[in-house]
Every structure is written in C-alpha cells, then in structure tokens.
C-alpha cells in the first residue's frame, strides 16, 4: 500500500492505493501432488486465490469539508467449483491444470462525504457513505447464488448517513 497527502491553496489532497497480488497459491489433497490453483475460486471452499485485489483512493479536504472516492478492483479469474459449466481439466495425477468458467473482473466505486462540526464534542462529524455508488452487480459465477460469495457482494448501492462523536 502507498499513499501521499499534499496541501495546496485549494485544500489538502490525498491519493493512495492498497493492493494484493498473489504470486503463488498451491493446494494439496491428501498425499497427492501439490498443484497451483492461482487465480481461481471454488476448488476449496475456504480461500479464493484471486491474483489481484486492490483499492485506490482519491481524497480532498478543505476546512470542515472532505470528499473521498474509492475504486475497488478484483481481477478476473476462473471458477473451479463443482458447479462450473466448463469442465476442469486435470493431469494424469488428478491435479487441475485448466478449464473452469471464466469470471469477469469486478470494479465498484465507493464515496465518503463528511462535515466536521467545530466546537461540538471536540470536532464531531456528520458523514454520508455510499458503497457501490453505481449499483454494479457482481460478475456472474455459476452457483446457487449466481455470484461468488467469497469474492462478490450482491448488495447493491448502500447509503449510510451517520454521526461520529469525538470525546478525546
């Protein structure tokens, strides 16, 4: 992750990124061979091994006002679950080496708006958060749900109005 904040005559700006890039994700069943399930989901029911996940940030603040936008990204991968339409291709030892359904990349945008109330409980804040601003659906994943419950979120746009008190 990295971020940089810089002041200007027009307010304080922040840019940043946090991402995870998996370089290897191996699996073994019983005493069989070790094999790669990198950039897949569904082979085991605990851990997706999607290669790239990230969240970019751009923010601005001036006095009591602040606006922050976030772009969330999950790269495309393959469905290796039991519900895949395209069969998983295995080698002579039974280890998967290809096949499965392609799952598209997923991009969503979040927004945070805030107003810090001076002289109220030591700078308390009223805020508006919008998750999944553009109401994007998760990519199709052939399962009971129609999406990948380990890597997707079926809840569309969610708006939260809140108050944060500071008692320091």
């Amino acid at each position: 992750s990295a971020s940089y904040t810089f002041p200007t005559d027009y307010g304080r700006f922040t840019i940043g990124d946090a991402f995870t890039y998996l370089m290897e994700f191996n699996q073994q069943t019983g005493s069989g061979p070790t094999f790669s399930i990198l950039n897949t989901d569904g082979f085991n029911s605990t851990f997706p091994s999607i290669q790239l996940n990230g969240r970019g940030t751009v923010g601005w603040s001036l006095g009591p006002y602040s606006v922050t936008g976030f772009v969330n990204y999950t790269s495309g991968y393959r469905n290796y679950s039991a519900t895949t339409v395209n069969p998983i291709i295995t080698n002579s030892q039974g280890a998967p080496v290809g096949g499965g359904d392609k799952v598209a990349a997923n991009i969503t945008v979040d927004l945070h708006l805030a107003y810090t109330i001076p002289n109220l409980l030591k700078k308390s804040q009223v805020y508006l958060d919008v998750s999944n601003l553009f109401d994007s659906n998760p990519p199709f994943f052939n399962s009971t749900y129609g999406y990948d419950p380990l890597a997707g979120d079926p809840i569309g746009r969610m708006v939260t109005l809140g108050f944060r008190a500071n008692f320091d």
Side-chain angles (χ1 to χ4, degrees):
S1 67
S3 66
Y4 181 69
T5 301
F6 53 98
T8 71
D9 293 340
Y10 305 103
R12 175 193 229 95
F13 290 88
T14 301
I15 57 172
D17 186 34
F19 69 90
T20 301
Y21 183 83
L22 299 178
M23 296 170 47
E24 186 175 335
F25 201 105
N26 294 326
Q27 179 84 35
Q28 183 179 25
T29 55
S31 60
T34 300
F35 52 89
S36 176
I37 58 169
L38 183 61
N39 216 28
T40 69
D41 194 9
F43 187 84
N44 65 45
S45 59
T46 309
F47 302 107
S49 60
I50 301 167
Q51 194 160 29
L52 178 62
N53 289 287
R55 180 170 169 98
T57 306
V58 175
W60 168 84
S61 63
L62 180 63
Y65 302 98
S66 65
V67 177
T68 308
F70 305 91
V71 176
N72 309 295
Y73 177 77
T74 301
S75 65
Y77 57 99
R78 291 205 171 261
N79 174 358
Y80 266 23
S81 73
T83 60
T84 185
V85 174
N86 296 301
I88 297 169
I89 301 166
T90 58
N91 65 16
S92 61
Q93 297 173 327
V97 293
D101 299 336
K102 289 183 181 178
V103 180
N106 190 22
I107 300 173
T108 59
V109 175
D110 301 335
L111 181 66
H112 173 79
L113 306 172
Y115 176 74
T116 302
I117 305 167
N119 303 321
L120 177 65
L121 296 174
K122 298 183 181 177
K123 297 186 177 182
S124 295
Q125 191 178 73
V126 176
Y127 64 90
L128 177 74
D129 285 338
V130 183
S131 297
N132 196 355
L133 180 66
F134 300 113
D135 201 21
S136 303
N137 292 323
F140 179 75
F141 184 94
N142 194 41
S143 71
T144 305
Y145 311 106
Y147 70 96
D148 184 350
L150 295 175
D153 187 352
I155 298 173
R157 180 183 308 115
M158 183 167 36
V159 179
T160 305
L161 179 62
F163 176 77
R164 186 175 292 123
N166 185 353
F167 297 102
D168 287 336

